[in-house]
Amino acid sequence: MHDMTAKQAAVSPVGQHPHFQKHHRRFPTTAWLRRRAPSNVPLFAFEYGDTGAGNDVGIGHNWAAFDAVEIVPRYGVMPSLPPVDVKLFGRSYAAPIGVAPMGGPSLVWPGADLLMAKAAQRARIPYTLSVAGGATIEQAAEAAPDVFWLQLYRFWHDDHKIGFDLVRRGQAAGAKVLALTLDVPVRTTRSRETYAGLAHEFRPNVRMIWEMMVRPKWMFALLRNGYPRFATIGDYAPAGASTNEIIAYARARMGGAFSWEEVKRYRDAWKGPMAVKGILHPKDAEKAVALGIDGIWVSNHGGRQIEALTPSIDVLPAIVAAVGKKATVILDSGVRSGQDVMRALALGADAAFAGKSFLWAVGALGDDGPDYLINLYIDELRASLGQIGARTLAEARAATIRHPGAIEFAAQSRPRRSK
Ligand SMILES: Cc1cc2nc3c(=O)[nH]c(=O)nc-3n(C[C@H](O)[C@H](O)[C@H](O)COP(=O)(O)O)c2cc1C
């Protein structure tokens, strides 16, 4: 752990995890967590959590786009590590870092949803439950009462009957933010997930059973937490429905991207801050803000939809320029370090969220994983800010940056073909 004054220690949980140093020796960055996870997690489950769309090219693009963002430091101003506490949608959090919503993390590690929720609550950073997660809305709210956000997909069936019931439950449970995901208009192919046998009906074969049997830590988590299920959606399926039956039930009632008209209906129903997730174009951000949306969640779904989508970090500056004064801007897709969080802040985001790296952490370290990863991200963020000479998050936003991938929407011209 780095030098820290007592006052700064009080505002950040850095280094509070009792095993931080032990874990840090083995897992100095998230790449080491990713490397380790498959030895504890059955391969089919690891592949589900780690895969990108198609041949995974989008994931590499996201990482490369972050790596290309350079910051010019200033020296002679930095007495010690800066505080990183932040206000998002009017609430205080310990750091501008959050857990992105994920469907099915309990397949990667049985009980993962609540492990992440509890760790986020301890650290006081946002935790977002996916409607396709392995915990119910009420369980997540109990585990993370101060930091619980809720994400929804589009349950269109019967004029959004389930969708609006989910809104009601989220509101009753005290979710701090509602996020509607817009970037899954169609189902696409993730080759590693498909090859692992998880894109269609789940039928464990001999290979899968063997992979589970030789992962004792995972088996133990399974015994403690039970078989992974889609807990929130499962509440609507017929009693006693199997996991496959719940999936079939949900697929018959959900899908497509929310239209702007539907976004407005949810906006009217939800009393509290609301974000739209998966935005990559400033015009879509402006449209959402005009409808009364408070938060723009810039994301390409972590490269899980199609490979051709632009990295979210490359459209961030244009979206911040369009709506940054009126809306909270969240960024995800490709965040692997506190340094990446700093890059996102420097390009105007209010916070950066992570998905896959939380699954790597839980796979590598089990129960300790999410706490350790949050500590690591905050520790790295503070060290990164210290390194560039930023004494506050606001100073990081004013840093000098080179961002070769940034898309300038106004300058985009379409090649025209003569007939
Ligand atoms: C296993 C997995 C499941 C996901 N499920 C959802 C989901 O249910 N809803 C959603 O809005 N995003 C979902 N996402 C996308 C994440 O919220 C987030 O946008 C993405 O993981 C961020 O990129 P990163 O994984 O590179 O950090 C999922 C991501 C993963 C890895």
Side-chain angles (χ1 to χ4, degrees):
M1 207 177 68
H2 304 276
D3 243 359
M4 206 177 2
T5 65
K7 184 161 168 277
Q8 282 166 344
V11 294
S12 162
V14 178
Q16 284 174 1
H17 190 270
H19 306 305
F20 185 85
Q21 294 200 9
K22 185 178 97 186
H23 294 329
H24 195 237
R25 220 166 277 142
R26 293 176 64 211
F27 305 107
T29 69
T30 57
W32 298 77
L33 294 166
R34 185 181 188 221
R35 194 181 294 179
R36 178 73 185 172
S39 52
N40 294 330
V41 177
L43 196 62
F44 70 88
F46 177 79
E47 295 285 60
Y48 164 72
D50 193 61
T51 187
N55 292 314
D56 278 346
V57 171
I59 293 179
H61 275 169
N62 284 346
W63 292 350
F66 265 102
D67 292 342
V69 177
E70 299 166 8
I71 299 187
V72 184
R74 300 299 306 274
Y75 297 122
V77 291
M78 192 63 216
S80 59
L81 292 171
V84 291
D85 53 310
V86 69
K87 271 209 164 149
L88 301 172
F89 302 105
R91 290 184 73 83
S92 297
Y93 295 93
I97 297 167
V99 184
M102 286 178 280
S106 289
L107 177 67
V108 179
W109 193 264
D113 298 84
L114 291 181
L115 286 176
M116 295 187 292
K118 288 177 187 166
Q121 170 72 21
R122 278 189 286 273
R124 294 191 73 84
I125 65 158
Y127 163 76
T128 319
L129 176 77
S130 159
V131 66
T136 64
I137 290 175
E138 293 73 20
Q139 286 170 329
E142 196 187 335
D146 300 313
V147 298
F148 161 54
W149 298 11
L150 175 64
Q151 174 268 327
L152 296 187
Y153 280 130
R154 178 173 174 270
F155 282 85
W156 50 265
H157 186 256
D158 206 0
D159 196 27
H160 296 256
K161 192 166 164 219
I162 294 178
F164 285 112
D165 193 57
L166 292 163
V167 166
R168 179 195 61 74
R169 285 173 65 184
Q171 201 96 61
K176 307 303 172 215
V177 176
L178 178 71
L180 299 187
T181 296
L182 267 59
D183 66 357
V184 186
V186 293
R187 273 168 60 76
T188 55
T189 298
R190 300 172 191 132
S191 58
R192 283 195 282 147
E193 174 185 324
T194 307
Y195 187 76
L198 294 170
H200 307 287
E201 191 165 284
F202 181 57
R203 282 209 199 97
N205 58 24
V206 175
R207 172 175 55 87
M208 289 168 162
I209 293 167
W210 173 250
E211 284 171 9
M212 291 190 269
M213 301 304 287
V214 295
R215 305 290 194 300
K217 289 180 185 158
W218 191 91
M219 285 301 285
F220 189 58
L222 184 70
L223 288 175
R224 274 192 303 160
N225 296 289
Y227 199 69
R229 58 189 296 273
F230 294 97
T232 290
I233 301 173
D235 286 345
Y236 298 93
S242 68
T243 301
N244 281 331
E245 285 162 352
I246 293 173
I247 293 171
Y249 176 90
R251 280 189 183 160
R253 286 161 181 77
M254 66 174 278
F258 291 96
S259 67
W260 291 120
E261 193 230 326
E262 289 167 343
V263 169
K264 179 77 175 94
R265 285 180 67 196
Y266 280 80
R267 171 64 289 183
D268 292 342
W270 178 258
K271 310 291 170 230
M274 185 168 153
V276 284
K277 178 170 180 288
I279 299 296
L280 291 173
H281 200 296
K283 292 259 180 277
D284 288 342
E286 282 169 357
K287 177 76 190 169
V289 170
L291 293 175
I293 296 298
D294 313 277
I296 301 299
W297 195 317
V298 186
S299 167
N300 71 9
H301 218 91
R304 288 170 73 88
Q305 282 305 104
I306 59 165
E307 293 154 297
L309 298 187
T310 182
S312 53
I313 191 80
D314 286 348
V315 296
L316 177 65
I319 289 181
V320 170
V323 299
K325 289 204 170 75
K326 299 179 219 151
T328 299
V329 179
I330 309 281
L331 178 113
D332 77 25
S333 299
V335 171
R336 289 160 298 162
S337 65
Q339 212 180 152
D340 288 342
V341 175
M342 175 184 71
R343 286 169 160 136
L345 298 178
L347 291 172
D350 292 289
F353 280 45
K356 286 187 281 295
S357 51
F358 276 95
L359 303 181
W360 305 335
V362 86
L365 279 166
D367 289 8
D368 267 2
D371 289 295
Y372 172 66
L373 182 61
I374 295 167
N375 270 212
L376 181 67
Y377 272 146
I378 294 176
D379 198 23
E380 288 176 345
L381 172 61
R382 298 181 77 201
S384 302
L385 294 171
Q387 178 66 41
I388 66 161
R391 287 165 295 187
T392 59
L393 298 181
E395 284 189 3
R397 293 200 177 97
T400 303
I401 299 161
R402 175 156 57 190
H403 184 190
I407 296 191
E408 287 175 33
F409 285 80
Q412 289 280 308
S413 62
R414 300 248 153 257
R416 301 212 182 276
R417 295 177 64 189
S418 54
K419 293 212 168 131

